[in-house]
Structure formats: structure tokens, C-alpha cells
Amino acid sequence: MLQTSLLTKTFANGTTLRFPDWKVARGEQWLLLGESGSGKTTLLHLLGGLLRPASGRVTVNGTDLYALPSRTLDRFRGRHIGIVFQQPHLIRSMTVEENLLLAQSFAGIGKDVVRIREVLNALDMDHKRRAYPQELSQGQAQRVGIARALVNRPALLLADEPTSSLDNRNADAVIRLLSDLAASQGSTLIISTHDDRVKEAFFRDFMFELHHERISDQLEKS
Amino acid sequence: MNAFQISWKNLKANRLTLVLNLLLIAFGTGMLAMLLLGMNQVGERLRDNARGVDLVVGAKGSPLQLILSSIYLIDFPTGNISEEDAHSLSAHPMVKKAVPLALGDNYAGFRIVGTDTGYVSLYGLELEAGHFWVKPFEIVIGAEVARAQGLKAGDRIYGSHGLTSDEDLHDDHPYVITGVLKKKGNIADNLVLTSLESVWEMHGTDGAREITSMLLQYRSRMAMVALPAMINRSTAMQAASPAKESARLFALIGVGVDAVRWFAVALMLLAGVSVFVSLYNSLRERVYDLAVMRVMGASREAIFAMIMLEGTLLTTLGSLAGILLGHVALHAIGHWQGSPQARMDGLYFLPEEAWLLAAGLLIGLVAALLPAIQAYRTDISETMSKI
């Protein structure tokens, strides 16, 4: 359901990253590993339709992301791709429930309060649905961030270092939740991390490792 | 969740900034609204009350003062003229109609005007109740006088000497109210009308009778030039044209009004700058909010529209509040105003007020444009990689 081919990204300073081709089947759960600076976040943004590649293709559910006009790509991302970031970045002027409502309306999906309650319940956050983000703890906020990524039942769920700002207990819980929830609703899951706690907790499926030397032509350039 | 709700929530998140911007815009718009409404009302009153009067003749002195005292009944009269002179002038072939006025007394601050039925027909006055005066010391009162003092036909009142105070009561001669006028929205609402004889008898003039002034209508356009010149040159009286003096008065007030107007415009521009700075600053805090909204599926155009909506929502609400403020302030001024003859009314609406609203909208659009472009350009990937 996810396929990349000949992906490259050139940065403003002239550096070009070349990514190995990658094929992910529906419902699979992957870890994207690599040291910081190896291009994990860049690759994840390419997969999520957030960053246009210099060349190559990203196909999600049979749709070539970067062949879409930008507005259609935005809509596609909202509807089919859920992204969990290192920091949850909830909208501060809105309650937990309104944050999720916003995700539904930007994706062009009608208001569905039942679904919001369902997701919040699954993350044990339903009791906080009227709370504002500043009233939540780090771990709670991160769980709302996950709820927001999941609320539209995305086909593809991407998580970028979701545990780096959490303590051990919360990190463990967050990984377990991501994995369980993705599995229960049939989302394909990719977690990028360099966190050993995640590697240990994440016992199944596949790993995709980026090696700095292999994907960067930095040396060739200079 | 629709665009209005999102923008409003964003605005509400920064309450102090919201209030500051609303206040700035509301004050600027409020001052402009007040000026617009006030000047329009004053102009309308001036024109309305001078309608049908081509020339005012009175004792020599300031022509503006003569107009103010005889038509608008706000200033003191220039003095008296003899009834004989006035009478001979009213018989002049160029004069179509002449209405004599005898001022000097008031009742609770409302002027008592001795005149004849010419005044009634000049202003097209009609009775709400009762009948016009027949005998001396019978009076007809304006609608506002009746309302403010709780008077009706058949009541008796005492006038006092002078134009404003209620000292020096003429307690030897009560007036009898024989009629109450219908509300006309002009000067007559605030007057007590009676016959010339009442005024003369009240002041016990023996010998030469005097009046304060006389309102004239020309018989032909020819008189416009010839009559004032004749009166000013060959009589002891002066002639003043209401149109000319009103224009002069407006020009005098105009300087002050212009200053206030520019101040209000400056305030509006300042409000625009404040809205711009607020939006621009809030973007720095909200850069993640915007990026996250893009991740959730909002297009660049949607983000642009959202910021524009925030700006215009803010200034339009401010303008609305300002227009309301202008009406309330004007009404308050009218309420506490000393002279009832030119009372301001806050429940007076003009189509031009829509322009103030449009100006508010425009300021919002202009102030939000740069921040909106900035927001439009937000790069999701770059923002989200910064953690």
C-alpha cells in the first residue's frame, strides 16, 4: 500500500539525500531506524505528503502523492494519512474535542462526535475532552496527538519520534497504543525512532534502517 | 467546525489583544460616527428651521446673532426694533410675508415667543389638542414642552423674565394653555407661542410698542438683492440672510470638526497598524498551529483565508461596536445637553454609516494581508522538523 521509488531530496545547502526504495504492505508495522541526521524525518515527511521530493515517487494506496495538485494532496493527506509528531502541537485555543473536530473538518469529513468519543475512549482520554491543551500533562497531550492522527481512520499512520519527550512509562504506553490501535483499525504503521526503548518494545514485524553513509552523497559533493 | 468558529477561537485565545484592538477600532469609528450623525443632524435642523425664511430683520448688531436668536432661538437677541418700523416694512411691495417675533421671557428654559398666526403657517404647525390663542395670556405649547413639563391644555403656568433662568418670575400674570402642538421635529417643539399683545401687556409697555425681530419672505427673486441693501442702508434696522449666516456658522464649526475628523481617521489607521502587529506577532506563536492545520488537510488557501478572516472579523466587530458607541454617545450628549432647541438624537440613522462599516472591513483586509501571506508561505515540513 506504500511504495517509494528513486526518492531524492535536495536541501537548500546543496546536500542531496537518496533514499532506498521501500515497499510496505497493508497493515504492516515498521520501524524506521537511523541516527539523527540520517534523514528519518525527511523520509517521513516525504511519505506523509508534507515535503515535495526532488525526484522519485511516493505511492500511497495506489495514489502517486506528488502527482496530485497541491489542494488535492492536502485533502488526501487529511483523509488518508495520520501523523504523530515528537511534540503533539495541539491547537491551544481549542479543547481536546475541538482539536479532533478540526481534524475532521479540514479533512472534509463531516462532524462525527461518536467517532471522537470512540478514539478518545480507546486512548483513555475521554474524561479530558473538554480540557484545553495547557491543562494536560505531556503524556496526555501526546495521547491526544495520537487521537487526532487516528480520528479520520487513516490508511497510513506515521509517527516521528513519538516517544522522545516522554518518560519510560509513557513511552511504553504510547508505543503499545500506536501499535494496537493501528492494528485494530487496519492502518499501516511506520514509526521513526532512534529510541532504544521503542526497539525493545516493538517486537514484531519489520525494520527499515537508514545508514548515513549509504543515503547521502554529501561526500561525493564535496 | 466552520471558518468563523476557528478564527473566532483564535482571536479569543488572546483576550487582551482582542480587547485592545476592538477598543481602538471602536473609538475611531465611534468618533467618526458621532461626527457624521451630529453634523448631519445640526445641518438638517439648521436647514429645516430656516425653511421659508428669506430674511430676518432686527436691531443692528451681529447678523449671525440675529439669525441664531430669531430662527434657532439659541443666542440672545440683538435688541429691539419699533413695531412701527416693522409694520411699514411688512407693507413693502417686495415683501410677501412678514412674521413678527417678540422674545424676552422663558418658561422653565423654554422660550416664550410672542408672534402672530404667520408663525404657525410659516412652519406648518398643527395642533395636537385644544385651539390657538385668541386672547392675551393664552398660549400654545410645543410637544416637547408638554412632554418635559407634563402640561396639557387648560393648565396655567408663569413665565419668567430672561431667556434661560427661572428667577424673576412674572407671578402677576399666569398664562393659560389653550393648545398643544403636534411634534414637528423642529424648533417649534421647544417653544411656548403666544400673541404679541401678551408680551407687551406682560411688560407693561405704554407708548411705543417694540418687537425683537421679523421674519420675511420675498415676493420675487429681485428682492434678494434690493431689499437687504435698502434695509441696511436706509433704516435703523439690519437685515440678515439665514442661508448666508448658516453657511458662515458651519464654516466656523467646520474647522473644529475637521480636526476631530482627522484625529478619528488617525485613530482608525493606528487601529489598523495594531491589528497588523497583533496578527503578525501571533503568527510567530502559532506557526505550529498553522503547520498542524496543514497536516490535518487545510490547504494554503484555507490558511490564508483564515488569517484574513481573523483580521476582518476583528475590525468589522470593532466598527460595529464603534457605530453603536457613536449613537449611544450622541444620545447621551442629547440627554444632558443644555439647549433643548438643538437636541441631538442618538436614534437617528444614516445610510452613510454603512461606509464606516466598509472602512472597518477594508482596514481589516489591509492589516491582515501581510500576515496572511506569511501564513500562506508556512512550510509544513520545515516547521515540523524544528520540533
Side-chain angles (χ1 to χ4, degrees), chain B residues 131-139 176 178 194-195 197-198:
Chain B
H131 61 84
F132 282 105
W133 63 89
V134 183
K135 293 182 296 212
F137 298 107
E138 289 185 337
I139 54 171
V176 180
T178 60
T194 186
S195 63
E197 287 76 17
S198 304

Side-chain angles (χ1 to χ4, degrees), chain B residues 82-99:
Chain B
S82 82
E83 201 229 349
E84 205 182 321
D85 288 353
H87 202 77
S88 60
L89 185 60
S90 61
H92 195 279
M94 284 190 200
V95 175
K96 182 174 156 202
K97 183 181 184 139
V99 180

